[in-house]
Amino acid sequence: MSVQHIDVVSLGEPLYEFSQIPQSPGRYLQGFGGDTMNCAIAAARQGASVAYVTRLGDDEFGRQFLQLWRDEGLDVSGVAIDSQAHTAVYFITHGADGHVFNYLRKGSAASRLGPADLPLELIKRARYFHTSGISQAISDSACDATFAAIDAAKGAGAVFVYDSNLRLRLWPLARAREVITATLARADYFLLSLEDAEALCGLKDPDAIVDWCHRSGAGVVALKLGAAGVIGSDSTRRLHIDGYKLNCVDATGAGDCFAGALLARMAAGDDFWQGLRFANAAAALTTTGYGAVAPLPGPEAVRQLLNRG
């Protein structure tokens, strides 16, 4: 019997979101966040079949996540419920230097994930396996689980897509550099932001950063430049795609949307360069709304922006 593949399997930590309304400092919008979870929903909204792997607390926040994922069409068979831990929470506030994040995630259910908890048969069905540096940073056991999941996915023939998503509030820079560099060496596709890159390799020039990624073992690289767009490279071709001038109100989740849209388009048969253009436009659209999940666009909105040029 042939294996029924899933386009995208993503692993990580979801966080229940409270996002401050800038015009009303004492009021917050309820939402959902977490980098790999945002990516999973972004890919599903673009038509990919998606499964998410994580652990939730046996609490109201966890139950709302499960309902969200079912509503979005995600496969939740890889989601475990931990009755001894809570679902992680974070708050977004807005200051003079942009949005500020505050977390209640220590000891979260997802941080208690270990290699023995992995739904390996589900992971082995992935066409594209996706995870991030945050998934590794939340605990030592989660880091071990992430490496075990990568081994299982790649061993079964999956394409491994890795987003650095460096968060120095979660782990020391030396440890982050060690783990992320070791992981990107296994990545078929490595996604990173300019800010992450400067911290990881000490370089500021985008082309020098991309060269460093390839020297470190990454196969294909997408260097996200924020409003300036993205640089893609497969070691033989390099392309800079400009950003879009839109009414940006909140950049939360834009990089995650980029990852999900790229995965969905490649799963649908686009090559990397076509997927890169699509993902660049999708990420730009995400910045026009508040929160991580609510603004994630569908395919028609993205194509309209692409056609607008």
Side-chain angles (χ1 to χ4, degrees), residues 7-261:
D7 290 334
V8 178
V9 176
S10 187
L11 178 151
E13 180 186 49
L15 299 102
Y16 199 82
E17 174 188 272
F18 292 94
S19 182
Q20 183 187 54
I21 302 173
Q23 296 80 12
S24 305
R27 298 180 61 199
Y28 289 79
L29 291 172
Q30 171 272 334
F32 304 92
D35 63 334
T36 56
M37 192 275 297
N38 299 334
C39 170
I41 292 180
R45 288 190 183 176
Q46 296 301 332
S49 59
V50 181
Y52 192 51
V53 176
T54 192
R55 290 166 70 90
L56 294 169
D58 185 11
D59 50 37
E60 181 59 26
F61 293 160
R63 286 184 280 276
Q64 288 189 32
F65 268 117
L66 281 172
Q67 187 60 54
L68 168 72
W69 298 336
R70 291 184 180 115
D71 290 345
E72 296 286 347
L74 270 60
D75 180 328
V76 298
S77 62
V79 178
I81 305 300
D82 187 338
S83 62
Q84 304 300 313
H86 64 92
T87 303
V89 177
Y90 79 119
F91 298 83
I92 305 171
T93 56
H94 301 272
D97 297 324
H99 48 275
V100 179
F101 297 91
N102 289 284
Y103 300 92
L104 298 174
R105 74 195 316 173
K106 185 176 178 61
S108 74
S111 75
R112 288 155 56 98
L113 179 72
D117 304 312
L118 292 170
L120 292 177
E121 293 309 310
L122 176 69
I123 290 168
K124 290 175 182 178
R125 292 168 54 199
R127 294 178 61 201
Y128 291 87
F129 177 73
H130 167 264
T131 193
S132 76
I134 293 176
S135 305
Q136 298 167 306
I138 55 177
S139 72
D140 289 344
S141 68
C143 188
D144 292 344
T146 302
F147 278 118
I150 293 166
D151 287 343
K154 287 183 70 74
V159 176
F160 173 36
V161 180
Y162 182 53
D163 197 323
S164 60
N165 274 357
L166 176 65
R167 298 293 185 271
L168 291 177
R169 294 171 67 175
L170 292 175
W171 52 356
L173 179 57
R175 168 72 172 160
R177 282 175 171 165
E178 176 187 7
V179 172
I180 291 174
T181 303
T183 311
L184 77 88
R186 304 207 62 199
D188 299 291
Y189 292 83
F190 181 45
L191 320 179
L192 75 167
S193 68
L194 197 59
E195 181 181 10
D196 282 8
E198 290 176 7
L200 289 170
C201 64
L203 300 170
K204 293 183 179 293
D205 176 70
D207 283 316
I209 291 167
V210 173
D211 290 340
W212 172 81
C213 293
H214 287 307
R215 285 198 308 273
S216 299
V220 179
V221 177
L223 177 61
K224 297 170 285 186
L225 308 176
V230 63
I231 294 174
S233 174
D234 65 359
S235 77
T236 59
R237 180 186 180 190
R238 193 165 299 185
L239 177 67
H240 177 205
I241 301 172
D242 290 332
Y244 290 87
K245 290 181 170 59
L246 300 177
N247 180 30
C248 175
V249 298
D250 182 7
T252 304
D256 309 327
C257 175
F258 176 93

Side-chain angles (χ1 to χ4, degrees), residues 226 228-230 241-244 258 261 275-285 305:
V230 63
I241 301 172
D242 290 332
Y244 290 87
F258 176 93
L276 195 69
R277 292 186 184 278
F278 190 96
N280 184 55
L285 285 171
L305 182 58

